[in-house]
Amino acid sequence: IACLVMYLFAEFDDAANLLAANPDATTISIDEPVEIPKNQRGRLQEPGREEDDELLGTDDSDKTELLAGQKKSAPFWTFEYYQTFFDVDTYQVLDRIKGSVFPVPGKNFVRLYIRSNPDLYGPFWICATLVFTIAVSGNLSNFFIHLGKPTYHYVPEFRKVSIAATAIYAYAWLVPLALWGFLMWRNSKVMNIVSYSFLEIVCVYGYSLFIYIPTAILWIIPQKVVRWVLVMFSLCLSGSVLVMTFWPAVRDDNRRIALATVGTVVLLHALLAVGCLAYFFDAPELDFPAPIIPAHNGTTVVTKSQ
Amino acid sequence: FAGLADVSISEDIPVEGEITVPVGSRSPDEVYSTLDEPVKDTIMRDLKAVGKKFVHVMYPKKSSALLRDWDLWGPLVLCVSLALMLQGGSADSKDDGGPQFAEVFVIIWFGAVVITLNSKLLGGTISFFQSLCVLGYCVLPLTVAMLVCRLVLLAGSGTVSFIIRLIVVVAMFGWSTLASTAFLADSQPPNRKALVVYPIFLFYFVISWMILTFTPQ
């Protein structure tokens, strides 16, 4: 019996050794592609690159890489497959929102918060909230701007909700698709260390739109200066999150292409903000009375005549 | 096997027996057989079920009657009456009026389906139609608010009437959200409750916004 017990303990020891050996084995295999470019390129070590490698090489991300490989194994026509995209708890969603609003310099949003668990809950509901926030705030702002006028008749402007929905959902899904396709194409030409899956890009874009929700509410204030300061501020915050996410993915590429990609990302983000501001929020009136135009032409005619 | 080949039944012997399966007792028969009852009984039974659910919504307690015997009659009636009452506002402006009948319908049903899918994807244990049933029935306080708003607007459309409408709509919006949360929250995993409740909040907020911004022509 003692021999049996000793044998069992030996088995456990072997298993424990194997388990201890495993994390080391995987860290070696993941570190290798990172090591080679460092030696081959021979460039000056940028601090960002080292931090990136550090983030890639930690045990935590290794384990999540392993788990991610095992997670999404259900075939795409079953309900369980789609449940894997909603595998987030409340605190995780709140953390991701916080990470999109307060960018930590040098840290990558995807590596830090998403870690191979991209979710569709955040992008979908943040876009839905943004659609209704913009429509409601625009309506309220127009109401307050035109309040005293005798010819103004309040209309709920419900049509604008569907236009807002189309614009925002198209931005949140088509731009990531285009960006992902572009990054895949460049990946085939230039070996990049960092590459993102389509869902991770959708996730980053979805969460980066969160800052526009309080911005849209504050746009009710009918002052041009205030509105444009808000645009700049929110663009800086969420734009920096996007830049810090996508810069590591393109910086190994041709300098001009990398800058053009990141520039396009920021430009589209700015266009969305400015477009929403221009279309849904009438310009605040100046002090002199604008020419009286019948209300049925729509309030936008009055503002255009300024 | 030669002997078996000769087996044959002579036509003179009649073959008889009972095909019907004997029922254990007569009483389950009388309960489930609704074919012979007068039509009034059938209709009244369904109406009573719908009415009982309305009462459950107005006084939300943790009863499982709303969940167990789901039906979609109540939500349909509420949705149609709400959509009808939202008509007749700013009808002659070209576009930017209130929501059309079809838009209200689509928002309510499509919104309820999306919220149900969301809660199921997050790991909820409630069935699809039970969730639709609860979300539809909890539109009742907002339909009552719409009725009150229309009555108040008949009296006048100044600031006082707006304040009254605002208070009524906000109160009913809170009631709807609390009622549906009371019924649906238990079936969700505990660390994702806020993720499930937020879309319900957004859904009733949008409906409340449509009710509050209704302006008659």
Side-chain angles (χ1 to χ4, degrees):
Chain A
I1 292 177
C3 292
L4 188 63
V5 168
M6 292 287 285
Y7 176 72
L8 282 173
F9 275 140
E11 288 266 2
F12 278 128
D13 269 348
D14 284 346
N17 286 339
L18 277 174
L19 276 174
N22 251 343
D24 295 336
T26 53
T27 48
I28 290 173
S29 67
I30 287 179
D31 274 344
E32 265 171 8
V34 173
E35 293 296 334
I36 295 174
K38 256 193 213 169
N39 298 331
Q40 276 184 356
R41 305 282 170 98
R43 271 192 243 162
L44 287 172
Q45 290 292 327
E46 298 157 354
R49 181 183 288 269
E50 278 173 341
E51 266 187 328
D52 222 56
D53 299 338
E54 198 184 5
L55 279 173
L56 282 174
T58 52
D59 278 332
D60 239 343
S61 63
D62 287 345
K63 288 197 187 105
T64 51
E65 293 281 343
L66 273 177
L67 289 172
Q70 296 163 4
K71 220 173 34 169
K72 298 173 172 51
S73 55
F76 70 90
W77 55 84
T78 58
F79 194 68
E80 282 72 31
Y81 177 75
Y82 298 101
Q83 268 185 323
T84 57
F85 302 133
F86 283 77
D87 193 16
V88 277
D89 293 336
T90 309
Y91 76 92
Q92 281 175 314
V93 171
L94 290 175
D95 273 346
R96 290 176 187 191
I97 290 178
K98 201 167 47 114
S100 78
V101 175
F102 304 118
V104 179
K107 293 276 194 237
N108 191 331
F109 179 78
V110 174
R111 289 286 168 228
L112 197 54
Y113 289 105
I114 301 198
R115 288 182 180 229
S116 308
N117 184 20
D119 71 301
L120 288 179
Y121 177 90
F124 183 78
W125 287 108
I126 290 177
C127 288
T129 310
L130 187 60
V131 165
F132 288 113
T133 308
I134 285 188
V136 167
S137 302
N139 201 235
L140 269 180
S141 145
N142 293 349
F143 173 69
F144 286 132
I145 285 178
H146 303 291
L147 190 45
K149 297 207 190 60
T151 53
Y152 176 66
H153 180 76
Y154 170 75
V155 285
E157 292 177 325
F158 201 74
R159 285 292 162 286
K160 294 196 169 176
V161 171
S162 41
I163 296 171
T166 313
I168 288 171
Y169 273 101
Y171 176 80
W173 288 85
L174 293 182
V175 171
L177 185 66
L179 189 59
W180 175 74
F182 177 75
L183 286 177
M184 284 294 118
W185 176 59
R186 294 310 298 178
N187 240 352
S188 66
K189 301 205 161 195
V190 177
M191 208 223 42
N192 279 326
I193 305 165
V194 179
S195 72
Y196 300 120
S197 72
F198 171 61
L199 283 170
E200 285 173 345
I201 301 183
V202 166
C203 222
V204 174
Y205 264 88
Y207 280 103
S208 74
L209 285 177
F210 177 80
I211 188 75
Y212 288 139
I213 295 176
T215 309
I217 297 177
L218 287 175
W219 275 341
I220 297 179
I221 302 171
Q223 297 295 330
K224 253 194 173 139
V225 173
V226 169
R227 286 181 177 178
W228 281 100
V229 162
L230 283 168
V231 169
M232 288 295 123
F233 184 63
S234 57
L235 188 60
C236 283
L237 278 183
S238 61
S240 64
V241 169
L242 286 176
V243 165
M244 282 195 287
T245 303
F246 291 112
W247 181 246
V250 292
R251 69 182 161 196
D252 300 320
D253 207 341
N254 182 354
R255 201 66 169 177
R256 259 188 264 166
I257 292 187
L259 285 175
T261 310
V262 173
T264 313
V265 164
V266 174
L267 185 68
L268 286 174
H269 211 59
L271 267 180
L272 181 77
V274 171
C276 284
L277 179 60
Y279 184 71
F280 293 99
F281 294 81
D282 290 344
E285 303 278 306
L286 298 177
D287 278 341
F288 61 86
I292 304 293
I293 290 183
H296 77 265
N297 272 346
T299 50
T300 47
V301 180
V302 177
T303 56
K304 276 186 197 150
S305 67
Q306 283 180 348
Chain B
F1 300 117
L4 286 176
D6 280 341
V7 170
S8 59
I9 301 178
S10 132
E11 268 100 35
D12 300 335
I13 307 174
V15 176
E16 57 182 54
E18 283 267 350
I19 300 180
T20 59
V21 176
V23 179
S25 61
R26 300 304 303 173
S27 50
D29 241 5
E30 278 154 14
V31 172
Y32 290 116
S33 154
T34 56
L35 209 51
D36 299 327
E37 63 178 12
V39 174
K40 184 170 85 86
D41 280 354
T42 316
I43 295 180
M44 285 311 293
R45 184 171 49 243
D46 280 339
L47 276 180
K48 277 200 199 119
V50 169
K52 204 156 57 149
K53 290 204 191 62
F54 279 150
V55 170
H56 271 128
V57 169
M58 293 313 273
Y59 301 107
K61 306 184 302 252
K62 288 253 173 353
S63 86
S64 56
L66 195 67
L67 292 181
R68 217 180 27 234
D69 312 317
W70 60 266
D71 74 272
L72 294 178
W73 282 114
L76 181 67
V77 164
L78 288 173
C79 182
V80 168
S81 53
L82 186 62
L84 281 177
M85 284 195 278
L86 278 169
Q87 296 311 300
S90 312
D92 33 319
S93 75
K94 279 189 316 204
D95 312 297
D96 292 329
Q100 301 294 318
F101 182 91
E103 284 173 340
V104 178
F105 220 83
V106 161
I107 283 186
I108 291 183
W109 286 101
F110 187 64
V113 166
V114 165
I115 293 176
T116 306
L117 279 179
N118 176 64
S119 77
K120 283 186 81 68
L121 282 168
L122 281 169
T125 54
I126 199 170
S127 100
F128 183 75
F129 284 107
Q130 281 174 349
S131 173
L132 276 188
C133 169
V134 169
L135 288 168
Y137 270 101
C138 289
V139 173
L140 175 67
L142 287 168
T143 311
V144 168
M146 182 75 224
L147 197 58
V148 169
C149 282
R150 281 214 89 144
L151 291 174
V152 167
L153 278 169
L154 281 179
S157 51
T159 315
V160 173
S161 103
F162 174 73
I163 293 182
I164 298 176
R165 280 185 290 140
L166 180 67
I167 295 175
V168 167
V169 169
V170 166
M172 292 300 158
F173 159 63
W175 199 332
S176 281
T177 312
L178 285 173
S180 59
T181 312
F183 287 118
L184 290 178
D186 283 341
S187 60
Q188 306 306 322
N191 45 354
R192 296 180 183 181
K193 279 212 168 68
L195 296 184
V196 172
V197 169
Y198 172 71
I200 299 179
F201 169 88
L202 187 65
F203 176 63
Y204 289 125
F205 178 80
V206 170
I207 299 181
S208 316
W209 176 255
M210 287 198 294
I211 293 175
L212 189 59
T213 60
F214 173 75
T215 46
Q217 192 55 358

